[in-house]
Structures are given as structure tokens and as C-alpha cells.
Amino acid sequence: SAMKITCVTVGKIKEKYLTEAIREYEKRLSRYCRLEIVELADEKTPDGAGAAEEAAIRDREGERILKAIKEDAYVIALAIEGKMLDSVELSRKIEALGTGGVSHIVFVIGGSLGLSPAVMKRADYALSFSKMTFPHQLMRVILLEQIYRSFRIMKNEPYHK
């Protein structure tokens, strides 16, 4: 049976062009895996929030994220300090997990303040797409595109370099 891939994300997507891109990748990915997108509420960060307040917000969002993760899932957290892979390496990683008996991968995208220590501790792997910071809404599109690309590479189907 097809691998299940869940994207647990914090915050809603408001921009129509991003929503359309996400729908397009959902459609394309349906040939390769069972995709589920879980959108969790984000906390409002007050202007001029201090470090302690930001940590508390991350922890609250983190609790929501952890509740959304099934116990048997392999968790890949998107974090700037994670390991950088190219598209072929990510494809091999997903393929190796499947071969190794993992049937459910959860990718986690935090809110604008990033992920809590508790979420990072639950993660089996930390993945970085770039040293740059992207808006988390855009990150969702980038992640889905890369997962799609991974499956194309696995099946030896052409993809755009």
C-alpha cells in the first residue's frame, strides 16, 4: 500500500495563489502517496514580544503539533539548523524509510517563531531547506514540491532540474 505522508503545519494560508499551488501538488502527489495536510491554529505574537513570551508561544504551538502526531510515525521536522539535503538525497531518504518498513512520515512546519524543543526532541530527523527563512505559508508549497520531486526521482520519471 502507498506510503502515508502527513504535513503538520501551523497557521492558515490566506493567499489564493499559494492555496492553488498546494491544491495542484496535492493532486499530483495523489498518484504516489496518501497525503494529509493538518493545519493547526497559530498563536498571535504581540509586537515587541520578549524571548520568554516567544518561547511560551512556541511551546503552546508545540503541544498542538505533538497532539497531531501519531505514535508510530517517523517525524521529519523542518528546521534551519537541520541537515541540508539535495532533491536526490531527500528522495533516497524517503525511499529508504519505506524499504525499512516506515509506512507513515510526518513532516512538521512550525509557525513564524519556529519549533519548540519538545517537537525537536520528538523529531526523528531535522531537515533544512535553506539557511534563509521563508514564510511558513510558502514553505508548505516548497515542501510539497520537493516531496513530489522525490517520488518522481524514485520512479525514474523526468523532473525539471
Side-chain angles (χ1 to χ4, degrees):
S1 72
M3 180 179 270
K4 182 173 187 194
I5 292 195
T6 302
C7 296
V8 174
T9 65
V10 174
K12 290 241 179 301
I13 291 199
K14 298 167 189 78
E15 293 83 354
K16 190 163 177 271
Y17 72 99
L18 292 177
T19 317
E20 282 168 6
I22 287 159
R23 257 203 302 267
E24 177 62 31
Y25 284 114
E26 285 180 304
K27 202 169 69 201
R28 290 186 193 185
L29 273 164
S30 64
R31 286 176 41 206
Y32 303 104
C33 64
R34 301 197 336 272
L35 178 71
E36 171 192 32
I37 293 180
V38 179
E39 258 192 350
L40 304 170
D42 55 354
E43 296 278 327
K44 291 284 161 276
T45 307
D47 287 337
E53 198 168 359
E54 288 193 351
I57 289 170
R58 260 193 302 270
D59 288 344
R60 281 200 295 275
E61 290 178 346
E63 279 166 30
R64 280 177 210 153
I65 290 168
L66 291 169
K67 275 202 194 83
I69 296 173
K70 301 268 186 296
E71 230 159 80
D72 62 341
Y74 184 95
V75 178
I76 299 178
L78 268 58
I80 276 190
E81 69 276 14
K83 193 167 166 26
M84 276 191 180
L85 301 178
D86 65 29
S87 297
V88 172
E89 288 167 335
L90 179 61
S91 172
R92 288 198 186 124
K93 170 132 190 94
I94 293 172
E95 190 170 26
L97 287 170
T99 316
V102 171
S103 60
H104 188 190
I105 300 175
V106 176
F107 287 90
V108 179
I109 302 175
S112 48
L113 296 177
L115 294 167
S116 72
V119 173
M120 293 310 294
K121 207 173 142 210
R122 169 63 182 90
D124 297 290
Y125 195 83
L127 175 66
S128 172
F129 274 85
S130 172
K131 288 192 171 68
M132 296 178 189
T133 304
F134 294 105
H136 56 280
Q137 290 98 330
L138 186 57
M139 207 56 234
R140 200 183 305 184
V141 179
I142 295 169
L143 173 63
L144 290 175
E145 195 279 333
Q146 283 300 312
I147 295 169
Y148 172 66
R149 193 176 284 254
S150 288
F151 281 108
R152 301 276 295 182
I153 293 168
M154 252 179 258
K155 306 269 191 251
N156 293 311
E157 293 170 358
Y159 65 96
H160 294 297
K161 293 251 185 331

